[in-house]
Amino acid sequence: MAIRITQQYMYSSMLNGMQSSLGKYMESMEQGSTQKQINRPSDDPAAFYRILTTRDSIDETKKYLTNINEAKGWLELTDSTLTNLTTLMGSIKALMNQASTDCTAAERQIMADEAWQMFGQILNLSNTEFNGNKLFAGHKYDESAFEKGLAISVSMMDDTKPGDEEYETSAKKAWTDLISAGHVSVSGNSDKAIAVQFLEKGTLDENGFRVDPGTDDEGNPYDTNGDGALSFRWSSDGGKTWQTGTLPAGSDKITVGSGVEIDFSGMIPGESLDISPAEKTGEGEFSTEDGTTFFVKPTGIYQGDTGNPPPQITISNTTPGSTGAEGLEVDAEGSFGSNVLVRFEGVKQPDGSFGGNISLTGNDEFAYSYSTDNGATWITAYGKSTGQQPLRLPVPGGYIDVDATNANNGDTIEAGTQVLIHPRRADLGYEVLKDTYIDVNRVGTEIFGGYYDDKPTLSDDTNLFNIMGDFIAALEFNNQEGCQEAYSKLSTCLEYVTTQTSRTGALENRVSLAYDVNTSTLLSQEEVLSGTEDIDLTELLSKLTQQQTTYQTVLMSSSMIMNMGLMNYL
């Protein structure tokens, strides 16, 4: 059946044709202008989603590359610093070798001045910083890693040395162990090593120093004054001059030099250490080759933090208006990777439920819960008070010690009391691949040694700061044997530092590998993105030519048809 074609129908059809061809033509022109075949979600929703996810992946990879460049800077400077350190240690070793030969006191004093400068160089290297952060301060990388300080060592106690059969039972080992355990501390400042030598036989126990009440081989009493005071002398000029002093019975502190104080008050209860007197060689003269002699020497005092600082503890109560948590003391120890929330549920009731206050002075069975996801889920555990405080309870990552001696409720823990364990870790770790982190900051005590919490941080033959302190003291007091001992220790220490340098090199290799992986990944992601959204110019030019011809044809044919009418053929 024939269809009647009206003028309105022709106009609408031609207009639709023109709009359609023009729309396609303009779309191609926009693609040519942006060089993208997808410019809005409506162009291709599925492809547009792939474009967005690929762009997110590219941004993430670029973030990894930025992190890698930062980590690379840290590690390269660390590697360079440790390389400089090993070079410096080579120079120190040569100086020690020279000092171990037959030298005069004046020559060793000149070497001592040089050794002090080398000590300063080590201190400077230990405080090297990158972008304002200290390389070797551990978690406190915004603070200095080391400061110059003083330490103490014992020397010339007897003829035994580490490794000798007698050494394990010698007085020297007993004193060394006391010092190594941090029971002896030194405060003050000195630019010279100080020797402290005892002149009378005596003992040190938890009650302090006291002179031996007995007599020597010749029948002379050790306590010449009969007051229990212990005589000693000290020198800060290499033994050229000595000043004498006495310790009243029961004293546990010695002050020498310009306000340098040696504190022995940390003596282990129940133990006693013997003090040997220096041999008297003449009227007012004493031997420097025997007797109990302490050396106050320079060292590096670590100011940073270790790998696992104590966590922060917050105590609260879920009961509105409760003050039962006030006065409660809680300590936590362990390796906590995230927050741990602990809640005390209460003492066991006759019906098996839990509630009410928990007495730490009785034998209460109680329940407590812990959460590692900030309270979203809880796991219940059970405990029993023992009558002793603090009470230790295991939690994920470690344990807590609870002491209610000073709590408002008096030796009890109120039900609903909560303890938040917040680890204060601040590892400077850079994410170089998804969920892969590389820590670039180092704990300086692992490399340079020194002292931390009044204790030496490394063994005697790997503690660089202490070895340098011993060497300086040996030089200033013209002690050839001490120089030889320092030389032997430094050889072992140099091997140890070289191992630490290798560890940094291994981290650099990991960073380098991560860089290669991310670079390849970024290239692949950009190719995927380009293949999804970029236009093919050759194909576009061909399509533009075709669409232009189509549009011109529509315009021409429409014009011809609109100009035609019945009157043209009459």
Side-chain angles (χ1 to χ4, degrees), residues 293 535 557:
T293 304
I535 196 69
S557 60

Side-chain angles (χ1 to χ4, degrees), residues 67-138:
N67 291 345
I68 286 171
N69 287 332
E70 189 76 9
K72 186 178 180 182
W74 270 84
L75 294 174
E76 285 182 347
L77 184 56
T78 300
D79 189 21
S80 174
T81 302
L82 294 182
T83 300
N84 292 336
L85 178 62
T86 54
T87 301
L88 176 60
M89 290 175 69
S91 300
I92 295 172
K93 188 175 180 181
L95 184 65
M96 287 180 173
N97 185 42
Q98 182 182 356
S100 299
T101 60
D102 292 331
C103 299
T104 64
E107 289 172 336
R108 287 200 175 97
Q109 182 56 55
I110 294 173
M111 296 179 193
D113 294 337
E114 186 176 354
W116 271 106
Q117 295 301 318
M118 291 176 168
F119 177 89
Q121 292 178 50
I122 295 174
L123 192 63
N124 290 338
L125 289 174
S126 72
N127 286 314
T128 303
E129 62 180 47
F130 177 76
N131 289 342
N133 295 318
K134 299 298 188 294
L135 294 179
F136 305 108

Side-chain angles (χ1 to χ4, degrees), residues 563-570:
N563 287 330
M564 293 178 64
L566 184 60
M567 296 303 294
N568 293 101
Y569 299 96
L570 293 179

Side-chain angles (χ1 to χ4, degrees), residues 62 137 180 189 231 265 288 334 446 451:
K62 288 181 177 179
S180 298
N189 295 293
S231 299
S265 60
T288 58
E446 297 175 354
Y451 268 64

Side-chain angles (χ1 to χ4, degrees), residues 364-376:
D364 286 352
E365 294 184 27
F366 61 90
Y368 68 99
S369 302
Y370 53 80
S371 173
T372 56
D373 54 9
N374 296 317

Side-chain angles (χ1 to χ4, degrees), residues 119 145-154 175-186 295-304 306 444-446 448-460 463-467 469-470:
F119 177 89
F146 287 91
E147 289 183 356
K148 178 193 166 193
L150 298 175
I152 189 171
S153 61
V154 64
W175 280 104
T176 300
D177 290 345
L178 184 73
I179 295 170
S180 298
H183 298 301
V184 180
S185 61
V186 185
F295 282 102
V296 177
K297 60 187 181 181
T299 190
I301 305 298
Y302 187 55
Q303 304 298 308
T306 56
T445 54
E446 297 175 354
F448 299 90
Y451 268 64
Y452 182 68
D453 282 345
D454 294 328
K455 295 189 290 290
T457 59
L458 291 175
S459 62
D460 208 31
N463 196 318
L464 179 57
F465 273 122
N466 282 6
I467 293 172
D470 288 335

Side-chain angles (χ1 to χ4, degrees), residues 18-90:
M18 285 187 290
Q19 291 291 345
S20 176
S21 58
L22 180 60
K24 293 179 180 179
Y25 185 40
M26 294 304 297
E27 180 181 348
S28 296
M29 289 184 64
E30 182 183 19
Q31 291 176 344
S33 175
T34 63
Q35 301 291 295
K36 308 293 182 185
Q37 60 180 335
I38 300 174
N39 292 289
R40 57 186 61 83
S42 59
D43 293 343
D44 188 336
F48 195 80
Y49 173 77
R50 291 196 300 272
I51 289 171
L52 292 179
T53 55
T54 303
R55 285 176 179 172
D56 287 342
S57 298
I58 289 175
D59 290 341
E60 189 174 60
T61 303
K62 288 181 177 179
K63 180 192 70 176
Y64 295 150
L65 288 171
T66 300
N67 291 345
I68 286 171
N69 287 332
E70 189 76 9
K72 186 178 180 182
W74 270 84
L75 294 174
E76 285 182 347
L77 184 56
T78 300
D79 189 21
S80 174
T81 302
L82 294 182
T83 300
N84 292 336
L85 178 62
T86 54
T87 301
L88 176 60
M89 290 175 69

